[in-house]
Amino acid sequence: MKSMGSTIFKLRTPMCPRLSLFLVVVLHYYAIASFGSDPDPVQDFCIPTTGIVGCKNSSAATVDDFVFSGIKFPGKFGETGLSAQPVNVNGFPGLNTLGMSFVRADFEVGGINVPHFHPRATEIAFVLEGSIYSGFVDSNNRIYAKVIEKGEVMVFPRGLLHFQMNVGDKPATIFGSFDSQNPGLIRVPNAVFGAGIEGKLLEKAFGLNSKEIAKLKRKFAPH
């Protein structure tokens, strides 16, 4: 009983200020890790200022800080037949602290958006023009995929592998919206074969020989 009474007494003793601060910090980072989303803003907006950590004075903000004109037309197409133009805080400072970003993706006939994922955001994709074979794979390796047409929308849950391909007979365009100002982008082929993973491991993982792995490494090596 004395031991139990002693324990109760210790719990009721005021907590050391340093320990209290430590627990607050731990719980704060635990919350960030658990929910993994952008923090809620503490002001209406925060336009970054060049060379200074902080925000432009709100009285100095103009409507141009909240307008971006960089995706009126398709961008440069890559070898996969895709042109992707991100609209994020790096090019559009008005998005800073607002917890969202955007992308315009144009596909040549047969063009693809290789399997990839966004570690920090759910994406919702709207087909502006064309027919896009679109889908994602869940953590049980179950695929959810179909051809979505002009005017249709598909959602890709945060962190799940997804992909797109233009299966129509004309160019296609989609708009994508993210619930993070910095969703991140990891393209699977580039990450697997272009990041410098040991070749022997890749040989065993994919059942390929050293020459085949070397060829893939050269193809997806960073430029």
Side-chain angles (χ1 to χ4, degrees):
M1 291 299 291
K2 288 183 179 180
S3 175
M4 184 178 294
S6 174
T7 301
I8 294 173
F9 174 77
K10 288 180 180 179
L11 287 174
R12 290 178 177 175
T13 301
M15 190 176 293
C16 169
R18 289 185 179 180
L19 179 57
S20 298
L21 178 60
F22 172 75
L23 289 175
V24 168
V25 172
V26 169
L27 290 173
H28 171 73
Y29 283 102
Y30 172 77
I32 292 175
S34 298
F35 296 103
S37 59
D38 291 0
D40 288 334
V42 295
Q43 51 198 356
D44 292 340
F45 52 81
C46 174
I47 308 299
T49 52
T50 305
I52 302 175
V53 177
C55 311
K56 178 191 294 187
N57 190 303
S58 60
S59 63
T62 70
V63 66
D64 290 333
D65 288 318
F66 305 99
V67 176
F68 181 75
S69 304
I71 58 169
K72 289 182 177 180
F73 307 102
K76 183 179 179 181
F77 286 88
E79 63 178 16
T80 63
L82 173 72
S83 166
Q85 300 180 89
V87 181
N88 54 39
V89 69
N90 296 323
F92 186 14
L95 289 173
N96 188 43
T97 74
L98 299 185
M100 64 183 303
S101 53
F102 196 77
V103 66
R104 171 178 176 154
D106 293 276
F107 298 78
E108 295 176 334
V109 175
I112 67 168
N113 194 359
V114 301
H116 64 282
F117 62 94
H118 308 286
R120 293 181 291 275
T122 291
E123 176 184 2
I124 187 164
F126 168 76
V127 181
L128 182 68
E129 293 289 346
S131 301
I132 302 287
Y133 172 66
S134 185
F136 66 90
V137 179
D138 71 10
S139 56
N140 293 314
N141 287 330
R142 181 180 178 186
I143 188 171
Y144 299 82
K146 66 175 295 185
V147 175
I148 54 176
E149 308 282 354
K150 178 179 178 179
E152 293 188 308
V153 172
M154 187 168 189
V155 65
F156 305 119
R158 177 184 300 169
L160 294 189
L161 183 78
H162 55 282
F163 48 83
Q164 293 144 332
M165 177 171 66
N166 181 5
V167 295
D169 57 3
K170 61 181 181 179
T173 300
I174 65 171
F175 290 154
S177 181
F178 305 92
D179 64 345
S180 171
Q181 72 174 44
N182 184 21
L185 171 61
I186 299 178
R187 296 183 179 93
V188 172
N190 303 75
V192 172
F193 298 107
I197 297 175
E198 174 59 43
K200 288 291 185 182
L201 185 152
L202 296 176
E203 290 173 32
K204 292 182 178 180
F206 292 97
L208 301 174
N209 60 44
S210 59
K211 289 184 178 180
E212 292 169 324
I213 292 295
K215 181 179 180 180
L216 289 167
K217 284 194 164 197
R218 287 193 298 271
K219 177 178 176 63
F220 293 105
H223 297 295

